[in-house]
Amino acid sequence: MITKIGRSLIVAKGKIILPVLGLSLFWLSPQFASTPNIVHQTTENVLLKSATAIKIKTPNSSTIWKLPDTAELIWDTKNITTDRSIGFYLIKDDMVVQDLGTFKNNHFANGIELNKSLQTGNNYRVMGIELFPQDKNNIAKFATPFFTIIGMPRKISDEKEITEKPAIRDTFDGRSISYVKELQVESASIRISLWDHGRVDNDIVSIYLNGEAIVSKYDLKYRKKYFDLHLDTSKANDLFLYAHNLGKYPPNTVSIEISDGTSLENIVLNSDLKSCEAVLINVKE
């Protein structure tokens, strides 16, 4: 039975038919009216099912790493295939102190060499980050609870040797400077190249040699940038990283390659708005 109601509505068997622009009929039923909401919920469910995630199981809050022992990592993931890569970083006081390595997603890595200069403390964490994610708006990352590292005891002879060395720069522009490595090179003329370590996230940095900027406010890229330097042969030359911002993923982290014409040395330096990491470079006599 079809009933006409006024000029625009027609009721057919309990359902409503609406004329559309006077040319065709648009069938409006309770089932169709709810369709947009069903589509929205289905889209959300698909996104939730495809979201990636990382959970680091070792180290945890009860872990103790002792130097010079090697370390191990154990983790679980969600929606990350075994051929994808995950980067792991050791963090102390919100500062990356060591790049632990990049591993395929096999949920386990061992035999990881720790930096021998790490100091004893219970404020270390490991951060895991999904590298080169397929969905750049959904990057899986995870930071462990704080755990403990016991450093190597310092030898008396080493302490004596340190006290006999000339004083080196330990602050700059109100920021503390910590030295991660000391190098010896064959020539006073060296070339350094630098690039963003991990991923490009708009890190802007300067590089200082003996307190003078040799790279000023450079926006780090994946591609290497080369600079030729001349070292002072009469002393240890300090080369340090100075951050002008924190980028998208703090702290600022830069890979530096140092070449003296005969050998190469690769170093990772970190910097935030309160501290800088540095290396000392000596020219062989």
Side-chain angles (χ1 to χ4, degrees):
M1 177 178 178
I2 298 176
T3 303
K4 185 174 181 181
I5 303 176
R7 298 177 58 187
S8 58
L9 300 182
I10 300 174
V11 176
K13 294 184 179 180
K15 296 184 180 180
I16 300 172
I17 301 174
L18 297 177
V20 179
L21 299 178
L23 299 176
S24 61
L25 296 180
F26 184 84
W27 187 269
L28 180 63
S29 68
Q31 179 180 3
F32 183 86
S34 64
T35 301
N37 188 45
I38 293 173
V39 172
H40 178 69
Q41 292 177 1
T42 303
T43 303
E44 285 187 343
N45 291 338
V46 170
L47 291 174
L48 288 173
K49 289 180 181 179
S50 63
T52 57
I54 299 172
K55 182 178 181 181
I56 301 173
K57 301 169 68 176
T58 300
N60 52 51
S61 58
S62 61
T63 297
I64 299 177
W65 285 353
K66 295 181 180 179
L67 297 178
D69 297 346
T70 59
E72 72 171 11
L73 300 170
I74 301 174
W75 68 91
D76 284 333
T77 60
K78 176 183 177 183
N79 295 327
I80 302 177
T81 57
T82 55
D83 63 321
R84 309 299 294 177
S85 297
I86 300 176
F88 292 92
Y89 306 89
L90 181 62
I91 300 172
K92 180 181 181 184
D93 295 329
D94 295 325
M95 184 94 170
V96 175
V97 295
Q98 184 178 344
D99 182 346
L100 297 176
T102 298
F103 306 99
K104 291 296 183 183
N105 185 29
N106 55 11
H107 305 285
F108 181 83
N110 61 5
I112 301 171
E113 296 282 346
L114 297 174
N115 191 326
K116 301 300 188 296
S117 64
L118 293 174
Q119 299 177 351
T120 298
N122 59 1
N123 54 344
Y124 288 94
R125 292 185 295 166
V126 169
M127 169 75 79
I129 300 177
E130 175 189 11
L131 300 182
F132 308 107
Q134 293 177 328
D135 180 1
K136 299 188 183 301
N137 295 318
N138 174 41
I139 301 172
K141 52 189 173 182
F142 184 88
T144 68
F146 290 108
F147 65 95
T148 299
I149 292 181
I150 299 178
M152 297 175 63
R154 183 177 292 181
K155 297 179 182 179
I156 295 177
S157 58
D158 290 340
E159 292 178 348
K160 182 178 180 181
E161 182 181 352
I162 291 173
T163 59
E164 291 175 352
K165 287 184 177 181
I168 58 175
R169 191 188 319 273
D170 57 6
T171 60
F172 181 83
D173 193 26
R175 303 185 186 188
S176 63
I177 296 178
S178 59
Y179 292 86
V180 300
K181 200 162 191 178
E182 186 167 5
L183 309 174
Q184 279 198 330
V185 294
E186 299 287 344
S187 171
S189 296
I190 64 171
R191 168 171 284 189
I192 69 168
S193 57
L194 55 112
W195 64 98
D196 203 331
H197 182 76
R199 68 183 62 185
V200 173
D201 60 344
N202 299 319
D203 288 342
I204 299 176
V205 302
S206 291
I207 304 293
Y208 283 80
L209 176 66
N210 297 326
E212 303 222 358
I214 49 110
V215 180
S216 183
K217 294 185 178 179
Y218 177 63
D219 188 357
L220 290 171
K221 307 294 183 185
Y222 280 133
R223 181 174 295 180
K224 294 181 180 179
K225 180 81 171 178
Y226 297 93
F227 300 91
D228 293 318
L229 310 178
H230 188 78
L231 302 175
D232 187 336
T233 59
S234 66
K235 66 173 186 177
N237 298 261
D238 58 275
L239 182 77
F240 63 89
L241 172 68
Y242 185 96
H244 293 280
N245 68 351
L246 294 180
K248 189 175 180 180
Y249 303 101
N252 279 6
T253 305
V254 60
S255 291
I256 297 182
E257 182 180 82
I258 301 174
S259 171
D260 61 3
T262 59
S263 61
L264 294 174
E265 184 77 30
N266 287 288
I267 300 168
V268 177
L269 295 180
N270 298 277
S271 178
D272 56 24
L273 301 182
K274 295 181 180 180
S275 59
C276 308
E277 285 191 346
V279 294
L280 285 175
I281 308 175
N282 298 279
V283 181
K284 289 183 180 179
E285 296 180 358

